[in-house]
């Protein structure tokens, strides 16, 4: 059974762990966002991961002692909770890890007294990206509704040169 906990602050000083979790996020996002970014754009690096861990925002999933998933949880200035960096290890897909991570995020947000859980989705507008289409369908099935849609390059001008294809920036909310 998958075990989900927040990474302890001490993990931010554990180089081997930082490299492992950074590699997991980068490998999963490279595949999951194939065709969206220009080559060699990593989702994160060890320094950013250490900052996220020190802030107490990274939850990790283990299965049989192995790291198999991640999710970043934040409290936004507007009072919503947000999850991001949701990954399940490529060798452990469709086994409920993603579902358990989202359930963990929802429980955490409720415990914090936060009424809305937000997620953001980068979504190509000129062709169907199968993984993004799956994610949109899944999030919708489990109660997330589209509350905001904008052009990604306009929303994040500093990232515009890095995207290889026009994308929308979608924001979903779930009332908890
Ligand atoms: C999103 C992700 C974490 C899901 O993890 P997972 O552990 O494989 O998913 P689960 O086994 O928990 O399944 C969740 C649901 O998706 C379905 N599903 C899983 N993989 C699927 C696939 N490739 N195609 C269609 N449906 C799929 C499951 O049947 C399940 O549906 P249900 O809850 O209605 O029964 C994983 O696909 C991933 O890491 N993707 C790449 C990273 C990414 O895009 N992250 C999100 C950025 S917003």
């Amino acid at each position: 059974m998958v075990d989900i906990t927040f990474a302890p602050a001490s993990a931010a000083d554990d180089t081997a762990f930082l490299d492992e979790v950074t590699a997991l996020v980068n490998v999963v996002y490279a595949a999951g966002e194939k065709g969206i970014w220009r080559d060699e754009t990593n989702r994160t690096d060890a320094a950013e991961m250490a900052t996220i861990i020190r802030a107490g925002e990274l939850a990790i999933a283990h299965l049989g002692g192995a790291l198999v998933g991640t999710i970043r949880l934040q409290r936004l200035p507007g009072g919503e909770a947000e999850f991001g960096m949701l990954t399940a290890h490529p060798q452990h897909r469709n086994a409920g890890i993603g579902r358990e991570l989202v359930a963990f995020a929802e429980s955490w947000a409720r415990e914090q007294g936060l009424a809305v859980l937000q997620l953001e989705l980068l979504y190509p507008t000129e062709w169907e990206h199968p993984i993004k289409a799956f994610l949109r369908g899944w999030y919708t099935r489990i109660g997330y509704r589209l509350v905001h849609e904008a052009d990604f390059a306009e929303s994040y001008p500093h990232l515009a040169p890095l995207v290889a294809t026009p994308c929308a920036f979608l924001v979903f909310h779930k009332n908890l």
Side-chain angles (χ1 to χ4, degrees), residues 28-29 32-33 83 85-89 92-101 119-121 131-132 134-135 138-139 141-142:
V28 166
Y29 270 82
E33 299 200 327
F83 78 78
M85 276 193 188
L86 172 64
T87 69
H89 194 289
H92 298 275
R93 286 287 164 80
N94 219 349
I97 293 166
R99 189 186 309 126
E100 292 294 323
L101 284 164
L119 71 91
E120 299 174 348
L121 196 60
I131 295 176
K132 297 293 181 177
F134 146 64
L135 284 169
W138 177 45
Y139 291 141
R141 279 205 307 283
I142 61 175

PDB file of all heavy atoms in Angstrom, residues 28-29 32-33 83 85-89 92-101 119-121 131-132 134-135 138-139 141-142, ligand 1:
ATOM      1  N   VAL A  28       9.223  12.511 -15.262  1.00  0.00           N
ATOM      2  CA  VAL A  28       7.769  12.393 -15.445  1.00  0.00           C
ATOM      3  C   VAL A  28       7.227  13.571 -16.256  1.00  0.00           C
ATOM      4  O   VAL A  28       6.431  13.399 -17.169  1.00  0.00           O
ATOM      5  CB  VAL A  28       7.066  12.276 -14.074  1.00  0.00           C
ATOM      6  CG1 VAL A  28       5.568  12.486 -14.222  1.00  0.00           C
ATOM      7  CG2 VAL A  28       7.350  10.912 -13.463  1.00  0.00           C
ATOM      8  N   TYR A  29       7.674  14.782 -15.936  1.00  0.00           N
ATOM      9  CA  TYR A  29       7.180  15.950 -16.675  1.00  0.00           C
ATOM     10  C   TYR A  29       7.707  15.977 -18.108  1.00  0.00           C
ATOM     11  O   TYR A  29       7.002  16.422 -19.016  1.00  0.00           O
ATOM     12  CB  TYR A  29       7.506  17.255 -15.940  1.00  0.00           C
ATOM     13  CG  TYR A  29       6.397  17.645 -14.988  1.00  0.00           C
ATOM     14  CD1 TYR A  29       6.300  17.087 -13.726  1.00  0.00           C
ATOM     15  CD2 TYR A  29       5.407  18.537 -15.379  1.00  0.00           C
ATOM     16  CE1 TYR A  29       5.269  17.411 -12.863  1.00  0.00           C
ATOM     17  CE2 TYR A  29       4.365  18.873 -14.522  1.00  0.00           C
ATOM     18  CZ  TYR A  29       4.307  18.302 -13.267  1.00  0.00           C
ATOM     19  OH  TYR A  29       3.265  18.624 -12.427  1.00  0.00           O
ATOM     20  N   GLY A  32       5.358  13.683 -19.684  1.00  0.00           N
ATOM     21  CA  GLY A  32       3.967  14.145 -19.576  1.00  0.00           C
ATOM     22  C   GLY A  32       3.718  15.452 -20.311  1.00  0.00           C
ATOM     23  O   GLY A  32       2.572  15.771 -20.616  1.00  0.00           O
ATOM     24  N   GLU A  33       4.782  16.215 -20.597  1.00  0.00           N
ATOM     25  CA  GLU A  33       4.606  17.478 -21.316  1.00  0.00           C
ATOM     26  C   GLU A  33       5.386  17.471 -22.624  1.00  0.00           C
ATOM     27  O   GLU A  33       5.748  18.524 -23.153  1.00  0.00           O
ATOM     28  CB  GLU A  33       5.007  18.662 -20.403  1.00  0.00           C
ATOM     29  CG  GLU A  33       4.123  18.707 -19.162  1.00  0.00           C
ATOM     30  CD  GLU A  33       4.079  20.046 -18.454  1.00  0.00           C
ATOM     31  OE1 GLU A  33       5.096  20.756 -18.472  1.00  0.00           O
ATOM     32  OE2 GLU A  33       3.003  20.386 -17.891  1.00  0.00           O
ATOM     33  N   PHE A  83      -2.504  22.352  -5.364  1.00  0.00           N
ATOM     34  CA  PHE A  83      -1.525  21.278  -5.554  1.00  0.00           C
ATOM     35  C   PHE A  83      -0.882  21.382  -6.921  1.00  0.00           C
ATOM     36  O   PHE A  83      -1.474  21.867  -7.873  1.00  0.00           O
ATOM     37  CB  PHE A  83      -2.107  19.885  -5.281  1.00  0.00           C
ATOM     38  CG  PHE A  83      -2.980  19.268  -6.352  1.00  0.00           C
ATOM     39  CD1 PHE A  83      -2.429  18.690  -7.487  1.00  0.00           C
ATOM     40  CD2 PHE A  83      -4.353  19.214  -6.188  1.00  0.00           C
ATOM     41  CE1 PHE A  83      -3.225  18.090  -8.450  1.00  0.00           C
ATOM     42  CE2 PHE A  83      -5.163  18.620  -7.145  1.00  0.00           C
ATOM     43  CZ  PHE A  83      -4.596  18.059  -8.283  1.00  0.00           C
ATOM     44  N   MET A  85       3.043  19.748  -9.150  1.00  0.00           N
ATOM     45  CA  MET A  85       4.116  18.735  -9.196  1.00  0.00           C
ATOM     46  C   MET A  85       3.586  17.348  -8.862  1.00  0.00           C
ATOM     47  O   MET A  85       4.225  16.580  -8.124  1.00  0.00           O
ATOM     48  CB  MET A  85       5.255  19.077  -8.237  1.00  0.00           C
ATOM     49  CG  MET A  85       6.242  20.040  -8.818  1.00  0.00           C
ATOM     50  SD  MET A  85       7.736  20.114  -7.814  1.00  0.00           S
ATOM     51  CE  MET A  85       8.531  21.489  -8.623  1.00  0.00           C
ATOM     52  N   LEU A  86       2.398  17.050  -9.377  1.00  0.00           N
ATOM     53  CA  LEU A  86       1.815  15.721  -9.140  1.00  0.00           C
ATOM     54  C   LEU A  86       2.481  14.724 -10.083  1.00  0.00           C
ATOM     55  O   LEU A  86       2.396  14.872 -11.303  1.00  0.00           O
ATOM     56  CB  LEU A  86       0.308  15.770  -9.411  1.00  0.00           C
ATOM     57  CG  LEU A  86      -0.413  14.423  -9.406  1.00  0.00           C
ATOM     58  CD1 LEU A  86      -0.355  13.773  -8.025  1.00  0.00           C
ATOM     59  CD2 LEU A  86      -1.862  14.594  -9.858  1.00  0.00           C
ATOM     60  N   THR A  87       3.146  13.737  -9.500  1.00  0.00           N
ATOM     61  CA  THR A  87       3.768  12.708 -10.339  1.00  0.00           C
ATOM     62  C   THR A  87       3.540  11.322  -9.739  1.00  0.00           C
ATOM     63  O   THR A  87       3.472  11.150  -8.524  1.00  0.00           O
ATOM     64  CB  THR A  87       5.311  12.883 -10.463  1.00  0.00           C
ATOM     65  OG1 THR A  87       5.921  12.602  -9.206  1.00  0.00           O
ATOM     66  CG2 THR A  87       5.682  14.282 -10.914  1.00  0.00           C
ATOM     67  N   ALA A  88       3.441  10.357 -10.628  1.00  0.00           N
ATOM     68  CA  ALA A  88       3.498   8.949 -10.238  1.00  0.00           C
ATOM     69  C   ALA A  88       4.626   8.323 -11.066  1.00  0.00           C
ATOM     70  O   ALA A  88       4.772   8.633 -12.258  1.00  0.00           O
ATOM     71  CB  ALA A  88       2.178   8.241 -10.532  1.00  0.00           C
ATOM     72  N   HIS A  89       5.420   7.483 -10.422  1.00  0.00           N
ATOM     73  CA  HIS A  89       6.569   6.862 -11.088  1.00  0.00           C
ATOM     74  C   HIS A  89       6.106   6.102 -12.331  1.00  0.00           C
ATOM     75  O   HIS A  89       5.099   5.370 -12.275  1.00  0.00           O
ATOM     76  CB  HIS A  89       7.242   5.892 -10.105  1.00  0.00           C
ATOM     77  CG  HIS A  89       8.600   5.455 -10.543  1.00  0.00           C
ATOM     78  ND1 HIS A  89       8.789   4.610 -11.608  1.00  0.00           N
ATOM     79  CD2 HIS A  89       9.827   5.759 -10.070  1.00  0.00           C
ATOM     80  CE1 HIS A  89      10.088   4.403 -11.766  1.00  0.00           C
ATOM     81  NE2 HIS A  89      10.737   5.096 -10.843  1.00  0.00           N
ATOM     82  N   HIS A  92       4.963   2.579 -12.047  1.00  0.00           N
ATOM     83  CA  HIS A  92       3.868   2.278 -11.106  1.00  0.00           C
ATOM     84  C   HIS A  92       2.626   3.071 -11.482  1.00  0.00           C
ATOM     85  O   HIS A  92       1.971   3.649 -10.614  1.00  0.00           O
ATOM     86  CB  HIS A  92       4.292   2.603  -9.672  1.00  0.00           C
ATOM     87  CG  HIS A  92       5.455   1.800  -9.192  1.00  0.00           C
ATOM     88  ND1 HIS A  92       5.315   0.541  -8.645  1.00  0.00           N
ATOM     89  CD2 HIS A  92       6.780   2.059  -9.210  1.00  0.00           C
ATOM     90  CE1 HIS A  92       6.517   0.068  -8.329  1.00  0.00           C
ATOM     91  NE2 HIS A  92       7.418   0.974  -8.664  1.00  0.00           N
ATOM     92  N   ARG A  93       2.300   3.082 -12.764  1.00  0.00           N
ATOM     93  CA  ARG A  93       1.145   3.854 -13.224  1.00  0.00           C
ATOM     94  C   ARG A  93      -0.142   3.049 -13.097  1.00  0.00           C
ATOM     95  O   ARG A  93      -0.125   1.827 -13.129  1.00  0.00           O
ATOM     96  CB  ARG A  93       1.326   4.267 -14.689  1.00  0.00           C
ATOM     97  CG  ARG A  93       2.324   5.371 -14.878  1.00  0.00           C
ATOM     98  CD  ARG A  93       1.780   6.710 -14.404  1.00  0.00           C
ATOM     99  NE  ARG A  93       2.856   7.680 -14.237  1.00  0.00           N
ATOM    100  CZ  ARG A  93       3.403   8.360 -15.228  1.00  0.00           C
ATOM    101  NH1 ARG A  93       2.944   8.213 -16.444  1.00  0.00           N
ATOM    102  NH2 ARG A  93       4.380   9.205 -14.984  1.00  0.00           N
ATOM    103  N   ASN A  94      -1.230   3.790 -13.027  1.00  0.00           N
ATOM    104  CA  ASN A  94      -2.556   3.197 -13.021  1.00  0.00           C
ATOM    105  C   ASN A  94      -2.739   2.221 -11.859  1.00  0.00           C
ATOM    106  O   ASN A  94      -3.472   1.240 -11.961  1.00  0.00           O
ATOM    107  CB  ASN A  94      -2.821   2.489 -14.367  1.00  0.00           C
ATOM    108  CG  ASN A  94      -4.247   2.704 -14.814  1.00  0.00           C
ATOM    109  OD1 ASN A  94      -5.085   3.195 -14.043  1.00  0.00           O
ATOM    110  ND2 ASN A  94      -4.558   2.338 -16.043  1.00  0.00           N
ATOM    111  N   ALA A  95      -2.023   2.488 -10.752  1.00  0.00           N
ATOM    112  CA  ALA A  95      -2.120   1.635  -9.560  1.00  0.00           C
ATOM    113  C   ALA A  95      -2.668   2.430  -8.387  1.00  0.00           C
ATOM    114  O   ALA A  95      -2.584   1.994  -7.244  1.00  0.00           O
ATOM    115  CB  ALA A  95      -0.741   1.068  -9.219  1.00  0.00           C
ATOM    116  N   GLY A  96      -3.175   3.628  -8.646  1.00  0.00           N
ATOM    117  CA  GLY A  96      -3.826   4.398  -7.594  1.00  0.00           C
ATOM    118  C   GLY A  96      -2.941   5.415  -6.891  1.00  0.00           C
ATOM    119  O   GLY A  96      -3.403   6.101  -5.968  1.00  0.00           O
ATOM    120  N   ILE A  97      -1.670   5.542  -7.296  1.00  0.00           N
ATOM    121  CA  ILE A  97      -0.769   6.479  -6.603  1.00  0.00           C
ATOM    122  C   ILE A  97      -1.242   7.916  -6.802  1.00  0.00           C
ATOM    123  O   ILE A  97      -1.343   8.692  -5.840  1.00  0.00           O
ATOM    124  CB  ILE A  97       0.684   6.285  -7.094  1.00  0.00           C
ATOM    125  CG1 ILE A  97       1.189   4.915  -6.650  1.00  0.00           C
ATOM    126  CG2 ILE A  97       1.592   7.401  -6.573  1.00  0.00           C
ATOM    127  CD1 ILE A  97       2.453   4.462  -7.342  1.00  0.00           C
ATOM    128  N   GLY A  98      -1.557   8.296  -8.036  1.00  0.00           N
ATOM    129  CA  GLY A  98      -2.042   9.649  -8.307  1.00  0.00           C
ATOM    130  C   GLY A  98      -3.325   9.947  -7.542  1.00  0.00           C
ATOM    131  O   GLY A  98      -3.479  11.012  -6.940  1.00  0.00           O
ATOM    132  N   ARG A  99      -4.246   8.979  -7.545  1.00  0.00           N
ATOM    133  CA  ARG A  99      -5.521   9.162  -6.833  1.00  0.00           C
ATOM    134  C   ARG A  99      -5.270   9.372  -5.344  1.00  0.00           C
ATOM    135  O   ARG A  99      -5.861  10.258  -4.715  1.00  0.00           O
ATOM    136  CB  ARG A  99      -6.393   7.923  -7.059  1.00  0.00           C
ATOM    137  CG  ARG A  99      -7.820   8.064  -6.576  1.00  0.00           C
ATOM    138  CD  ARG A  99      -8.595   6.752  -6.703  1.00  0.00           C
ATOM    139  NE  ARG A  99      -8.494   6.179  -8.027  1.00  0.00           N
ATOM    140  CZ  ARG A  99      -8.084   4.937  -8.301  1.00  0.00           C
ATOM    141  NH1 ARG A  99      -7.732   4.126  -7.325  1.00  0.00           N
ATOM    142  NH2 ARG A  99      -8.031   4.495  -9.537  1.00  0.00           N
ATOM    143  N   GLU A 100      -4.357   8.569  -4.762  1.00  0.00           N
ATOM    144  CA  GLU A 100      -4.052   8.696  -3.324  1.00  0.00           C
ATOM    145  C   GLU A 100      -3.377  10.037  -3.023  1.00  0.00           C
ATOM    146  O   GLU A 100      -3.640  10.654  -1.979  1.00  0.00           O
ATOM    147  CB  GLU A 100      -3.130   7.555  -2.872  1.00  0.00           C
ATOM    148  CG  GLU A 100      -3.780   6.183  -2.895  1.00  0.00           C
ATOM    149  CD  GLU A 100      -4.901   6.044  -1.882  1.00  0.00           C
ATOM    150  OE1 GLU A 100      -4.783   6.598  -0.782  1.00  0.00           O
ATOM    151  OE2 GLU A 100      -5.907   5.397  -2.214  1.00  0.00           O
ATOM    152  N   LEU A 101      -2.518  10.497  -3.926  1.00  0.00           N
ATOM    153  CA  LEU A 101      -1.855  11.785  -3.711  1.00  0.00           C
ATOM    154  C   LEU A 101      -2.865  12.929  -3.735  1.00  0.00           C
ATOM    155  O   LEU A 101      -2.802  13.849  -2.922  1.00  0.00           O
ATOM    156  CB  LEU A 101      -0.754  12.006  -4.762  1.00  0.00           C
ATOM    157  CG  LEU A 101       0.529  11.200  -4.523  1.00  0.00           C
ATOM    158  CD1 LEU A 101       1.394  11.157  -5.791  1.00  0.00           C
ATOM    159  CD2 LEU A 101       1.345  11.793  -3.368  1.00  0.00           C
ATOM    160  N   LEU A 119      -5.794  23.640  -8.931  1.00  0.00           N
ATOM    161  CA  LEU A 119      -4.683  23.092  -9.714  1.00  0.00           C
ATOM    162  C   LEU A 119      -4.605  23.855 -11.020  1.00  0.00           C
ATOM    163  O   LEU A 119      -5.601  24.433 -11.482  1.00  0.00           O
ATOM    164  CB  LEU A 119      -4.848  21.596  -9.959  1.00  0.00           C
ATOM    165  CG  LEU A 119      -5.952  21.158 -10.920  1.00  0.00           C
ATOM    166  CD1 LEU A 119      -5.451  21.054 -12.358  1.00  0.00           C
ATOM    167  CD2 LEU A 119      -6.546  19.833 -10.477  1.00  0.00           C
ATOM    168  N   GLU A 120      -3.420  23.861 -11.603  1.00  0.00           N
ATOM    169  CA  GLU A 120      -3.201  24.547 -12.877  1.00  0.00           C
ATOM    170  C   GLU A 120      -2.774  23.523 -13.917  1.00  0.00           C
ATOM    171  O   GLU A 120      -2.057  22.569 -13.593  1.00  0.00           O
ATOM    172  CB  GLU A 120      -2.106  25.600 -12.733  1.00  0.00           C
ATOM    173  CG  GLU A 120      -2.441  26.679 -11.720  1.00  0.00           C
ATOM    174  CD  GLU A 120      -1.288  27.646 -11.469  1.00  0.00           C
ATOM    175  OE1 GLU A 120      -0.150  27.367 -11.899  1.00  0.00           O
ATOM    176  OE2 GLU A 120      -1.529  28.668 -10.813  1.00  0.00           O
ATOM    177  N   LEU A 121      -3.218  23.755 -15.134  1.00  0.00           N
ATOM    178  CA  LEU A 121      -2.912  22.813 -16.215  1.00  0.00           C
ATOM    179  C   LEU A 121      -2.477  23.591 -17.446  1.00  0.00           C
ATOM    180  O   LEU A 121      -3.185  24.497 -17.896  1.00  0.00           O
ATOM    181  CB  LEU A 121      -4.175  21.998 -16.516  1.00  0.00           C
ATOM    182  CG  LEU A 121      -4.061  20.720 -17.322  1.00  0.00           C
ATOM    183  CD1 LEU A 121      -3.160  19.698 -16.654  1.00  0.00           C
ATOM    184  CD2 LEU A 121      -5.455  20.108 -17.539  1.00  0.00           C
ATOM    185  N   ILE A 131      -1.996  13.089 -22.927  1.00  0.00           N
ATOM    186  CA  ILE A 131      -1.856  13.058 -21.456  1.00  0.00           C
ATOM    187  C   ILE A 131      -2.631  14.219 -20.829  1.00  0.00           C
ATOM    188  O   ILE A 131      -3.315  14.060 -19.815  1.00  0.00           O
ATOM    189  CB  ILE A 131      -0.368  13.082 -21.059  1.00  0.00           C
ATOM    190  CG1 ILE A 131       0.277  11.790 -21.574  1.00  0.00           C
ATOM    191  CG2 ILE A 131      -0.200  13.244 -19.553  1.00  0.00           C
ATOM    192  CD1 ILE A 131       1.763  11.689 -21.349  1.00  0.00           C
ATOM    193  N   LYS A 132      -2.560  15.391 -21.489  1.00  0.00           N
ATOM    194  CA  LYS A 132      -3.303  16.544 -20.967  1.00  0.00           C
ATOM    195  C   LYS A 132      -4.813  16.294 -21.066  1.00  0.00           C
ATOM    196  O   LYS A 132      -5.579  16.680 -20.175  1.00  0.00           O
ATOM    197  CB  LYS A 132      -2.925  17.819 -21.728  1.00  0.00           C
ATOM    198  CG  LYS A 132      -1.472  18.201 -21.569  1.00  0.00           C
ATOM    199  CD  LYS A 132      -1.151  18.610 -20.137  1.00  0.00           C
ATOM    200  CE  LYS A 132       0.297  19.016 -19.990  1.00  0.00           C
ATOM    201  NZ  LYS A 132       0.619  19.470 -18.635  1.00  0.00           N
ATOM    202  N   PHE A 134      -6.260  13.351 -20.949  1.00  0.00           N
ATOM    203  CA  PHE A 134      -6.575  12.411 -19.861  1.00  0.00           C
ATOM    204  C   PHE A 134      -6.681  13.161 -18.529  1.00  0.00           C
ATOM    205  O   PHE A 134      -7.640  12.972 -17.763  1.00  0.00           O
ATOM    206  CB  PHE A 134      -5.509  11.302 -19.785  1.00  0.00           C
ATOM    207  CG  PHE A 134      -5.218  10.823 -18.383  1.00  0.00           C
ATOM    208  CD1 PHE A 134      -6.196  10.197 -17.621  1.00  0.00           C
ATOM    209  CD2 PHE A 134      -3.968  11.034 -17.809  1.00  0.00           C
ATOM    210  CE1 PHE A 134      -5.929   9.789 -16.313  1.00  0.00           C
ATOM    211  CE2 PHE A 134      -3.696  10.638 -16.515  1.00  0.00           C
ATOM    212  CZ  PHE A 134      -4.683  10.013 -15.765  1.00  0.00           C
ATOM    213  N   LEU A 135      -5.701  14.043 -18.264  1.00  0.00           N
ATOM    214  CA  LEU A 135      -5.709  14.761 -16.981  1.00  0.00           C
ATOM    215  C   LEU A 135      -6.958  15.624 -16.848  1.00  0.00           C
ATOM    216  O   LEU A 135      -7.619  15.626 -15.798  1.00  0.00           O
ATOM    217  CB  LEU A 135      -4.475  15.650 -16.878  1.00  0.00           C
ATOM    218  CG  LEU A 135      -3.154  14.934 -16.580  1.00  0.00           C
ATOM    219  CD1 LEU A 135      -1.988  15.882 -16.775  1.00  0.00           C
ATOM    220  CD2 LEU A 135      -3.144  14.357 -15.170  1.00  0.00           C
ATOM    221  N   TRP A 138      -9.877  13.412 -16.133  1.00  0.00           N
ATOM    222  CA  TRP A 138      -9.816  12.835 -14.786  1.00  0.00           C
ATOM    223  C   TRP A 138     -10.138  13.884 -13.723  1.00  0.00           C
ATOM    224  O   TRP A 138     -10.982  13.665 -12.839  1.00  0.00           O
ATOM    225  CB  TRP A 138      -8.425  12.222 -14.551  1.00  0.00           C
ATOM    226  CG  TRP A 138      -8.236  11.664 -13.171  1.00  0.00           C
ATOM    227  CD1 TRP A 138      -9.107  10.874 -12.469  1.00  0.00           C
ATOM    228  CD2 TRP A 138      -7.106  11.858 -12.319  1.00  0.00           C
ATOM    229  NE1 TRP A 138      -8.579  10.566 -11.236  1.00  0.00           N
ATOM    230  CE2 TRP A 138      -7.354  11.151 -11.119  1.00  0.00           C
ATOM    231  CE3 TRP A 138      -5.899  12.547 -12.455  1.00  0.00           C
ATOM    232  CZ2 TRP A 138      -6.432  11.126 -10.060  1.00  0.00           C
ATOM    233  CZ3 TRP A 138      -4.985  12.505 -11.403  1.00  0.00           C
ATOM    234  CH2 TRP A 138      -5.264  11.802 -10.225  1.00  0.00           C
ATOM    235  N   TYR A 139      -9.500  15.047 -13.813  1.00  0.00           N
ATOM    236  CA  TYR A 139      -9.753  16.092 -12.815  1.00  0.00           C
ATOM    237  C   TYR A 139     -11.243  16.481 -12.821  1.00  0.00           C
ATOM    238  O   TYR A 139     -11.833  16.713 -11.766  1.00  0.00           O
ATOM    239  CB  TYR A 139      -8.899  17.325 -13.099  1.00  0.00           C
ATOM    240  CG  TYR A 139      -7.410  17.145 -12.870  1.00  0.00           C
ATOM    241  CD1 TYR A 139      -6.471  17.722 -13.722  1.00  0.00           C
ATOM    242  CD2 TYR A 139      -6.938  16.407 -11.788  1.00  0.00           C
ATOM    243  CE1 TYR A 139      -5.102  17.569 -13.503  1.00  0.00           C
ATOM    244  CE2 TYR A 139      -5.569  16.252 -11.572  1.00  0.00           C
ATOM    245  CZ  TYR A 139      -4.660  16.839 -12.439  1.00  0.00           C
ATOM    246  OH  TYR A 139      -3.310  16.680 -12.221  1.00  0.00           O
ATOM    247  N   ARG A 141     -13.746  14.553 -13.680  1.00  0.00           N
ATOM    248  CA  ARG A 141     -14.511  13.434 -13.073  1.00  0.00           C
ATOM    249  C   ARG A 141     -14.463  13.476 -11.553  1.00  0.00           C
ATOM    250  O   ARG A 141     -15.415  13.087 -10.886  1.00  0.00           O
ATOM    251  CB  ARG A 141     -13.935  12.093 -13.529  1.00  0.00           C
ATOM    252  CG  ARG A 141     -14.382  11.622 -14.879  1.00  0.00           C
ATOM    253  CD  ARG A 141     -14.293  10.099 -15.024  1.00  0.00           C
ATOM    254  NE  ARG A 141     -13.028   9.480 -14.707  1.00  0.00           N
ATOM    255  CZ  ARG A 141     -11.951   9.470 -15.482  1.00  0.00           C
ATOM    256  NH1 ARG A 141     -11.969  10.096 -16.635  1.00  0.00           N
ATOM    257  NH2 ARG A 141     -10.843   8.855 -15.116  1.00  0.00           N
ATOM    258  N   ILE A 142     -13.331  13.915 -10.997  1.00  0.00           N
ATOM    259  CA  ILE A 142     -13.215  13.885  -9.531  1.00  0.00           C
ATOM    260  C   ILE A 142     -13.559  15.233  -8.887  1.00  0.00           C
ATOM    261  O   ILE A 142     -13.228  15.475  -7.730  1.00  0.00           O
ATOM    262  CB  ILE A 142     -11.839  13.358  -9.062  1.00  0.00           C
ATOM    263  CG1 ILE A 142     -10.686  14.251  -9.560  1.00  0.00           C
ATOM    264  CG2 ILE A 142     -11.636  11.919  -9.518  1.00  0.00           C
ATOM    265  CD1 ILE A 142      -9.309  13.825  -9.009  1.00  0.00           C
TER     266      ILE A 142
HETATM  267  C1  LIG B   1      -1.331  12.108 -13.321  1.00  0.00           C
HETATM  268  C2  LIG B   1      -0.651  10.907 -12.715  1.00  0.00           C
HETATM  269  C3  LIG B   1       0.059  11.341 -11.426  1.00  0.00           C
HETATM  270  C4  LIG B   1      -1.724   9.848 -12.383  1.00  0.00           C
HETATM  271  O1  LIG B   1      -1.096   8.862 -11.629  1.00  0.00           O
HETATM  272  P1  LIG B   1      -1.501   7.300 -11.594  1.00  0.00           P
HETATM  273  O2  LIG B   1      -1.007   6.798 -10.297  1.00  0.00           O
HETATM  274  O3  LIG B   1      -1.026   6.614 -12.809  1.00  0.00           O
HETATM  275  O4  LIG B   1      -3.106   7.382 -11.624  1.00  0.00           O
HETATM  276  P2  LIG B   1      -4.126   6.468 -10.790  1.00  0.00           P
HETATM  277  O5  LIG B   1      -3.730   5.046 -10.896  1.00  0.00           O
HETATM  278  O6  LIG B   1      -4.291   7.025  -9.426  1.00  0.00           O
HETATM  279  O7  LIG B   1      -5.437   6.672 -11.645  1.00  0.00           O
HETATM  280  C5  LIG B   1      -6.187   7.864 -11.599  1.00  0.00           C
HETATM  281  C6  LIG B   1      -7.295   7.789 -12.628  1.00  0.00           C
HETATM  282  O8  LIG B   1      -6.757   7.927 -13.930  1.00  0.00           O
HETATM  283  C7  LIG B   1      -7.024   6.768 -14.720  1.00  0.00           C
HETATM  284  N1  LIG B   1      -5.811   6.587 -15.520  1.00  0.00           N
HETATM  285  C8  LIG B   1      -4.533   6.450 -15.045  1.00  0.00           C
HETATM  286  N2  LIG B   1      -3.680   6.452 -16.086  1.00  0.00           N
HETATM  287  C9  LIG B   1      -4.412   6.603 -17.220  1.00  0.00           C
HETATM  288  C10 LIG B   1      -4.098   6.703 -18.591  1.00  0.00           C
HETATM  289  N3  LIG B   1      -2.835   6.626 -19.037  1.00  0.00           N
HETATM  290  N4  LIG B   1      -5.118   6.864 -19.470  1.00  0.00           N
HETATM  291  C11 LIG B   1      -6.376   6.946 -19.047  1.00  0.00           C
HETATM  292  N5  LIG B   1      -6.747   6.863 -17.754  1.00  0.00           N
HETATM  293  C12 LIG B   1      -5.761   6.695 -16.844  1.00  0.00           C
HETATM  294  C13 LIG B   1      -7.334   5.694 -13.751  1.00  0.00           C
HETATM  295  O9  LIG B   1      -8.180   4.712 -14.299  1.00  0.00           O
HETATM  296  C14 LIG B   1      -8.026   6.470 -12.649  1.00  0.00           C
HETATM  297  O10 LIG B   1      -9.346   6.779 -13.006  1.00  0.00           O
HETATM  298  P3  LIG B   1     -10.535   6.623 -11.958  1.00  0.00           P
HETATM  299  O11 LIG B   1     -10.114   7.359 -10.698  1.00  0.00           O
HETATM  300  O12 LIG B   1     -11.711   7.230 -12.647  1.00  0.00           O
HETATM  301  O13 LIG B   1     -10.642   5.155 -11.717  1.00  0.00           O
HETATM  302  C15 LIG B   1       0.389  10.277 -13.678  1.00  0.00           C
HETATM  303  O14 LIG B   1      -0.270   9.930 -14.869  1.00  0.00           O
HETATM  304  C16 LIG B   1       1.530  11.198 -14.015  1.00  0.00           C
HETATM  305  O15 LIG B   1       2.532  11.239 -13.291  1.00  0.00           O
HETATM  306  N6  LIG B   1       1.433  11.949 -15.122  1.00  0.00           N
HETATM  307  C17 LIG B   1       2.481  12.835 -15.612  1.00  0.00           C
HETATM  308  C18 LIG B   1       2.676  14.083 -14.756  1.00  0.00           C
HETATM  309  C19 LIG B   1       1.555  15.046 -14.863  1.00  0.00           C
HETATM  310  O16 LIG B   1       1.075  15.316 -15.956  1.00  0.00           O
HETATM  311  N7  LIG B   1       1.132  15.587 -13.708  1.00  0.00           N
HETATM  312  C20 LIG B   1       0.010  16.495 -13.583  1.00  0.00           C
HETATM  313  C21 LIG B   1       0.308  17.880 -14.002  1.00  0.00           C
HETATM  314  S1  LIG B   1      -1.110  18.925 -13.765  1.00  0.00           S
END
